[in-house]
Amino acid sequence: MAFKIASSPHVTRNLHTSTVMQRVMLCLLPGLVVQCAFFGWGTLVQVLLAILVALSCEAAVMKLRHRSIKASLSDNSAMLTAMLIGVAIPPLAPWWMIVMGTAFAIIIVKHLYGGLGHNLFNPAMAAYVLLLVSFPVQMTTWIAPSTIALHSPSLLESLQLIFNVGAVNMEQFRLGIDGISMATPLDTLKTDLSMGLTSTESMAKAIFDGSTGVGWFWVNLTYLAGGLVLLKLKAIRWHISTGVLFGLFVASSVGFLLSPDTQASPLFHLFSGATMLAAFFIATDPVTAATSPRGRLIFGALIGVLVYIIRTQGGYPDAFAFAVLLGNLCAPFIDYYVRPRTYGHSVG
């Protein structure tokens, strides 16, 4: 009898790291375009600057480590990290912040622990937290969406504000349709609730547009679409994203049912801030997440619940960076206790 030796049935193709990273970046692009449409050219400028810094830092570290620069740059991991940092920070943040955050992500968070595959924390989120804790004012200064802004910055004005040249006034780009300086929907709701307003009264403001916030719904919807394409391409698995969204939905639903006057609806939590970006493009980082299917579900659900707790009880309006880093800390613990049992052996 002749036997045909072939790869396992569940292995259908071989994906290199560079290919996976390319697919993630391509699926990230539609969200970037929509984000630029609502918040101006600044986001694109930040992404391009972050990519330049990330590739330079990656090459410099590889040179110092006497490793192949070409091989390291061609895996596209540094470029993806830069894109995630660029879309996460405010579009008109000063140039030195994106330089500092990106350099910290690549040099310290990634390579200090041995490079790709050895880092303990998600580099993009570690950089975001560094900037948020160090420069809270700049990191929470978002401009009004173009659809309700009194003034929308052109490409030249965005460059002048980011690189601090010329005499362009940042405040005019933060003004909404009523001429009042605007924060993000999450920040606005949190501030209003602390001042004694109900969630219904707060969400009657123009920035919410009666739902999740002007622009933010479409940004999240586009990142959701990109995430679903990633799942279709099998660049990521469904467990973590499902866990994140399920954990956030359940926690926000319970809070809203218990106190509708002081809590936002589950829809608001799911389609505002960085929810879909984090659920599909950040939390799913295979290096820093749990590894087993059940572990990934728990890992994702933990992040979703932590996001709700920090959004409602913590000092920061959006919480995905903190939640992801806390999830990274718990990933080895989760893997240890939910590791699959080897056939023929007992657990323990």
Side-chain angles (χ1 to χ4, degrees):
M1 180 180 295
F3 293 95
K4 181 180 179 181
I5 300 176
S7 59
S8 303
H10 58 274
V11 178
T12 58
R13 53 186 168 177
N14 228 353
L15 287 180
H16 296 286
T17 300
S18 60
T19 303
V20 174
M21 298 295 177
Q22 286 174 359
R23 292 181 177 182
V24 174
M25 288 188 290
L26 287 174
C27 291
L28 195 63
L29 285 178
L32 171 61
V33 171
V34 173
Q35 201 166 321
C36 289
F38 280 101
F39 298 103
W41 291 97
T43 300
L44 179 61
V45 175
Q46 301 285 14
V47 168
L48 294 177
L49 180 58
I51 290 175
L52 177 62
V53 174
L55 296 180
S56 300
C57 290
E58 186 87 3
V61 172
M62 288 296 100
K63 179 70 174 178
L64 290 173
R65 297 179 63 188
H66 305 289
R67 303 286 182 85
S68 171
I69 295 176
K70 181 180 179 181
S72 181
L73 295 181
S74 63
D75 68 18
N76 296 314
S77 61
M79 189 179 296
L80 176 58
T81 296
M83 288 187 67
L84 293 174
I85 298 173
V87 299
I89 73 169
L92 299 181
W95 66 271
W96 48 265
M97 288 180 58
I98 195 73
V99 172
M100 180 185 299
T102 306
F104 175 78
I106 300 299
I107 298 174
I108 305 298
V109 184
K110 179 180 178 181
H111 283 292
L112 191 64
Y113 290 95
L116 182 65
H118 300 282
N119 47 290
L120 301 178
F121 299 101
N122 184 292
M125 291 300 94
Y128 183 90
V129 167
L130 171 73
L131 296 175
L132 182 60
V133 172
S134 302
F135 313 104
V137 175
Q138 292 89 337
M139 285 295 289
T140 53
T141 304
W142 282 74
I143 62 175
S146 59
T147 51
I148 62 172
L150 291 180
H151 303 278
S152 295
S154 65
L155 175 58
L156 178 60
E157 289 169 331
S158 298
L159 290 169
Q160 290 176 329
L161 286 166
I162 291 171
F163 292 98
N164 194 26
V165 294
V168 183
N169 182 11
M170 172 67 176
E171 191 59 30
Q172 65 178 316
F173 301 115
R174 297 189 63 212
L175 299 178
I177 195 170
D178 54 3
I180 300 175
S181 294
M182 305 182 71
T184 64
L186 284 167
D187 195 23
T188 299
L189 178 63
K190 193 174 189 67
T191 301
D192 288 348
L193 291 176
S194 68
M195 296 174 62
L197 297 179
T198 65
S199 58
T200 302
E201 292 170 336
S202 177
M203 296 189 72
K205 294 183 175 181
I207 189 175
F208 292 102
D209 194 30
S211 58
T212 62
V214 176
W216 292 99
F217 174 80
W218 294 107
V219 170
N220 273 278
L221 192 64
T222 312
Y223 282 128
L224 170 61
L228 293 177
V229 174
L230 281 180
L231 290 173
K232 177 67 175 178
L233 295 175
K234 301 188 186 308
I236 61 173
R237 299 186 181 183
W238 62 270
H239 307 79
I240 294 177
S241 301
T242 301
V244 171
L245 299 180
F246 179 76
L248 180 57
F249 175 79
V250 170
S252 58
S253 296
V254 171
F256 186 68
L257 289 173
L258 293 177
S259 182
D261 287 338
T262 61
Q263 300 291 329
S265 68
L267 180 66
F268 177 81
H269 281 285
L270 290 175
F271 286 94
S272 191
T275 301
M276 296 301 170
L277 173 66
F280 289 96
F281 295 92
I282 295 174
T284 52
D285 174 22
V287 176
T288 57
T291 56
S292 65
R294 187 167 50 149
R296 286 193 289 266
L297 280 170
I298 296 172
F299 174 82
L302 174 64
I303 291 175
V305 172
L306 285 173
V307 166
Y308 174 75
I309 293 173
I310 299 173
R311 278 182 177 180
T312 56
Q313 305 299 322
Y316 295 96
D318 205 352
F320 266 103
F322 293 100
V324 168
L325 294 183
L326 290 171
N328 295 160
L329 279 174
C330 297
F333 177 82
I334 294 172
D335 278 337
Y336 180 80
Y337 282 101
V338 299
R339 65 187 187 278
R341 179 173 65 88
T342 303
Y343 181 77
H345 295 77
S346 60
V347 178

